[in-house]
Amino acid sequence: MASLHAVGIVFILVLHQVSGSGVFELKLQEFFNEQGLLADGGSCLPDCNTFFRICLKHYQAVVSPGPCTFGSVTTKVLGERSFMVSEEGDSGLIRLPFNFTWPGTFSLIINASYSPDNVTVNPSDMNNQLISTFTIQKQLGMGKEWTADTQTSNETR
């Protein structure tokens, strides 16, 4: 039996732009998948080119699949297996603009996926394989203060 242990550290911020609009910002800082495993127990070694799909939706006590009601975005490949996202530039910064009054609560789904060719970053493409999924349900008001969150996934197959 193989075990999957993935850790992602994120920082979250909601900025107010004008009445009824703003920007939800997420900064991915580091990701660990030391054994190079996929969620189904398969291997993504030797490279494990990792990208992320972020889905921001209305608050749900139990997060379910479905539309990303507040928006979604897919990153480029940010690293291999285990990595820290560069502090230089905006490589780990993800922005989701919105045009509604921020409700103060949200659900966030972060899918870490593997791109075998280090180029394809299409979440609906079968060549991209899920490494792990993190969900966050939170209350967060508008402001300039970042909120830190560490997500850990530990599955035994």
Side-chain angles (χ1 to χ4, degrees), residues 13-78:
L13 171 73
V14 179
L15 294 173
H16 178 71
Q17 289 182 325
V18 295
S19 181
S21 72
V23 178
F24 183 93
E25 293 187 341
L26 170 74
K27 180 149 182 75
L28 298 171
Q29 239 184 346
E30 55 188 37
F31 183 76
F32 298 100
N33 180 10
E34 293 170 349
Q35 296 178 19
L37 295 177
L38 300 171
D40 66 5
S43 175
C44 59
L45 293 175
D47 298 331
C48 294
N49 303 309
T50 306
F51 70 94
F52 298 86
R53 180 175 185 273
I54 312 301
C55 174
L56 182 63
K57 59 195 314 183
H58 61 283
Y59 179 83
Q60 296 176 307
V62 177
V63 180
S64 62
C68 301
T69 52
F70 295 168
S72 67
V73 67
T74 301
T75 71
K76 63 182 183 180
V77 170
L78 295 180

Side-chain angles (χ1 to χ4, degrees), residues 73-132:
V73 67
T74 301
T75 71
K76 63 182 183 180
V77 170
L78 295 180
E80 298 176 358
R81 244 183 357 162
S82 298
F83 56 90
M84 295 182 74
V85 178
S86 171
E87 289 292 324
E88 297 176 17
D90 291 339
S91 63
L93 185 62
I94 298 158
R95 292 183 175 103
L96 287 156
F98 55 87
N99 292 315
F100 52 84
T101 301
W102 181 249
T105 58
F106 65 93
S107 293
L108 183 69
I109 303 168
I110 303 171
N111 288 327
S113 294
Y114 163 58
S115 176
D117 59 14
N118 196 21
V119 177
T120 306
V121 181
N122 180 354
S124 62
D125 186 341
M126 293 306 290
N127 290 328
N128 297 314
Q129 299 172 23
L130 184 66
I131 295 171
S132 62

